[in-house]
């Protein structure tokens, strides 16, 4: 992939459209009519999933957003577990390197990181491939998006998981070691399950951040919900309807996630005293 | 390094921090920076540095204004949720949920493209004094960032207001303070002290949100770097410099807030 300026910034296709003269010069338009360029039936038509409407486009965008968010969260969790282990049990060099990673990623805006990693990552892979004598590959936006957001998420989950591992009563880990468990078994049987109740609130927050950070990929031209919305709005000129509809979709994702994650936290904390009693 | 409480003077702490492997790592980092300065192309800098300073100034200005305005909105939003009746608590809760549940980029575009395409249809808006401002992009950016900060910080302030011990407020009432005076002298300062550590994090998050205004054609430092990339066809140099600038600003912010935090009384509640 050759470096090119991001779609959203370079082409000033995003310039706000001029209002058609006929409507601008019509002071008699009622509030609702001017608020929404179409009538109530028109809104249903605009948002319907059938080809006339753009609802299907939005739903495909939502699906892409969710795919990226799920993938990035999984990648982030893997990096986070690894990073937390490195920060806690690694040697001095490993510990410092992870400290640099988490500090830098958390200090630089996600938008800048996404641009930097998106171009640098695809460029690097292609150069390595070229050096090994293979053809250049076009890395799909999905994979690049997951990798980039996962890298960003990893820095945050490193801190969350590190804190959660520190919250485990040390006796449990020492007991497991005394029984002669190997590090892998210890991680699988003791550390991960025991840290889960402490980590879930922070990780839940990270999942919500991931769903919202997918919107930033619109700036590098990846077709997710926000970009789909802007395309639909740009074609139909019904900006308010589509942006409000996308907002509702994002909000639904957040609310459903909140409900499910609350259940998950309850499940992970089963058998433990409630937070109120523990105080 | 361990849990022993030993009083270490500054020189000893420096030697603890500057272990041999750290010196090697620092040398490697210096080498990387030097090779980047030497091998990469920086000849565009003289042409753009004035524009870049303008962009940094604009980003900092947006950050300061949106944080100040957002905090002013966050106080009533937090207070309404912590102490208000359901008629004020519910709208405040809904506001926080909506702001925190949708991406900032979407909110920004909703305001800029949505409201922006709505306003010109009303002649009285076009004839009013606001119109020269409403035609520009930055008021929409400031509005979106302000509301976003208010939504996130409102939730923090809710917890901070609720966390002030009841006895403090009862004591103030027993002294015959009016409600406004209790709020001004007792409740708000203590809530603010409680919220201060999270305020640092929120401000850094807000700084990291400011480049989004570049997508609605406000020329901040991010937009300047995009322009450099378009003009010179360089990919990495402007982005790396941009990342460095943001890291420097974050470092300064964190340091400034830690100085403020050090000044507040430690024993509260």
């Amino acid at each position: 992939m050759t470096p090119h300026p991001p779609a959203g910034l370079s082409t000033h296709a995003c310039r706000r459209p001029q209002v058609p003269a006929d409507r601008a010069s019509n002071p008699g338009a009622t509030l609702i009519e001017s608020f929404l360029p179409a009538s109530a039936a028109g809104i249903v038509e605009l948002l319907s999933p059938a080809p006339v409407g753009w609802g299907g486009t939005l739903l495909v965008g939502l699906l892409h957003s969710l795919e990226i968010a799920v993938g990035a969260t999984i990648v982030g969790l893997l990096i986070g577990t690894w990073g937390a282990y490195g920060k806690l049990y690694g040697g001095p060099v490993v510990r410092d390197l992870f400290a640099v990673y988490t500090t830098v990623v958390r200090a630089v805006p996600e938008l800048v990181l996404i641009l930097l990693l998106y171009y640098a990552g695809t460029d690097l892979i292609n150069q390595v491939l070229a050096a090994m004598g293979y053809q250049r590959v076009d890395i799909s936006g999905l994979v690049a998006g997951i990798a980039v957001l996962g890298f960003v998420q990893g820095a945050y989950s490193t801190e969350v998981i590190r804190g959660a591992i520190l919250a485990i009563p040390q006796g449990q880990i020492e007991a497991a070691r005394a029984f002669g468990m190997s590090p892998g078994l210890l991680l699988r049987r003791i550390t991960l399950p025991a840290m889960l109740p402490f980590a879930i609130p922070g990780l839940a927050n990270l999942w919500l951040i991931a769903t919202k950070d997918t919107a930033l990929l619109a700036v590098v031209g990846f077709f997710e919900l926000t970009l789909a919305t802007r395309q639909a709005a740009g074609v139909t000129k019904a900006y308010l309807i589509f942006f409000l509809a996308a907002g509702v979709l994002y909000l639904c994702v957040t609310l459903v996630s909140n409900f499910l994650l609350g259940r998950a936290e309850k499940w992970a904390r089963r058998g433990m005293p409630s937070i109120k009693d523990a105080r | 390094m361990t849990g022993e409480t030993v009083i270490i003077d500054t020189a000893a702490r420096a030697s603890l921090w500057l272990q041999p492997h750290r010196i090697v790592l620092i040398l490697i980092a210096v080498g990387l920076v030097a090779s980047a300065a030497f091998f990469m192309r920086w000849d565009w800098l003289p042409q753009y540095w004035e524009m870049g300073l303008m962009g940094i100034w604009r980003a900092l200005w947006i950050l300061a204004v949106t944080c100040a305005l957002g905090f002013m909105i966050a106080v009533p939003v937090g207070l309404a949720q912590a102490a208000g009746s359901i008629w004020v608590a519910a709208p405040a809760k809904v506001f926080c949920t909506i702001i925190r549940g949708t991406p900032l980029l979407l909110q920004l575009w909703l305001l800029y493209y949505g409201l922006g395409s709505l306003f010109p249809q009303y002649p009285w808006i076009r004839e009013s004094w606001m119109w020269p401002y409403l035609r520009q992009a930055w008021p929409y950016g400031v509005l979106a960032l302000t509301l976003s900060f208010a939504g996130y910080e409102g939730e923090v302030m809710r917890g901070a207001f609720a966390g002030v011990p009841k006895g403090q407020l009862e004591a103030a009432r027993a002294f015959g303070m009016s409600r406004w005076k209790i709020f001004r002298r007792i409740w708000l300062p203590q809530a603010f002290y409680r919220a201060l550590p999270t305020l640092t994090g929120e401000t850094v998050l807000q700084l990291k949100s400011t480049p989004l205004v570049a997508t609605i054609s406000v020329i901040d430092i991010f937009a300047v770097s995009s322009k450099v990339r378009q003009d010179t066809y360089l990919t990495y140099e402007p982005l790396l410099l941009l990342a460095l600038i943001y890291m420097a600003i974050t470092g300064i912010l964190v340091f400034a807030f830690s100085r403020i935090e050090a000044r507040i009384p430690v024993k509260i509640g």
Side-chain angles (χ1 to χ4, degrees), chain A residues 148-165:
Chain A
V148 170
L149 277 188
F151 185 80
V152 176
Q153 286 274 311
Y156 290 89
S157 22
T158 297
E159 295 296 323
V160 170
I161 293 175
R162 192 182 70 100
I165 290 179

Side-chain angles (χ1 to χ4, degrees), chain B residues 35-256:
Chain B
S35 61
F38 189 71
F39 291 114
M40 289 177 140
R41 272 188 54 194
W42 301 101
D43 52 341
W44 46 271
L45 268 178
Q47 200 187 335
Y48 288 99
W49 75 275
E50 219 164 294
M51 201 193 245
L53 282 185
M54 239 357 251
I56 294 175
W57 172 246
R58 205 163 283 168
L60 289 178
W61 184 85
I62 291 176
L63 175 71
V65 168
T66 56
C67 283
L69 291 178
F71 190 76
M72 279 181 219
I73 302 176
V75 169
V77 167
L79 194 62
Q81 288 184 76
S85 69
I86 186 154
W87 299 108
V88 286
K93 178 101 192 120
V94 168
F95 170 74
C96 284
T97 310
I98 289 177
I99 293 290
R100 283 151 39 100
T102 52
L104 177 55
L105 188 63
L106 189 83
Q107 296 164 14
L108 189 65
W109 286 358
L110 170 69
L111 289 179
Y112 181 64
Y113 296 117
L115 280 189
S117 66
L118 180 66
F119 284 145
Q121 300 170 22
Y122 296 97
W124 64 268
I125 289 183
R126 278 190 295 169
E127 282 151 21
S128 76
W129 57 271
M130 293 183 299
W131 183 237
Y133 297 103
L134 292 178
R135 281 176 60 186
Q136 295 171 36
W138 63 266
Y140 299 93
V142 168
L143 180 62
L145 285 172
T146 301
L147 291 181
S148 160
F149 192 79
Y152 283 93
E153 194 57 27
E155 198 71 18
V156 172
M157 287 313 285
R158 176 188 64 81
F161 277 122
V164 174
K166 282 273 183 298
Q168 299 262 0
L169 303 179
E170 280 161 14
R173 210 171 300 140
F175 271 107
M177 286 189 187
S178 67
R179 285 171 67 154
W180 169 239
K181 199 178 252 181
I182 293 175
F183 175 73
R184 195 158 47 87
R185 288 222 184 133
I186 313 288
W187 212 0
L188 184 61
Q190 292 204 23
F192 182 69
Y193 293 158
R194 276 161 195 279
L196 200 53
T198 44
L199 199 61
T200 315
E202 291 294 338
T203 311
V204 171
L205 284 182
Q206 184 78 353
L207 169 71
K208 297 200 295 174
S209 307
T210 55
L212 290 183
V213 297
T215 61
I216 58 166
S217 74
V218 177
I219 311 289
D220 76 328
I221 181 66
F222 183 86
V224 172
S225 98
S226 304
K227 183 169 165 44
V228 173
R229 287 193 301 139
Q230 280 171 42
D231 290 354
T232 59
Y233 298 106
L234 293 170
T235 317
Y236 300 115
E237 287 88 344
L239 280 175
L240 285 174
L241 191 62
L242 186 64
L244 198 68
I245 289 170
Y246 277 113
M247 272 195 284
I249 300 177
T250 307
I252 294 170
L253 274 181
V254 170
F255 176 75

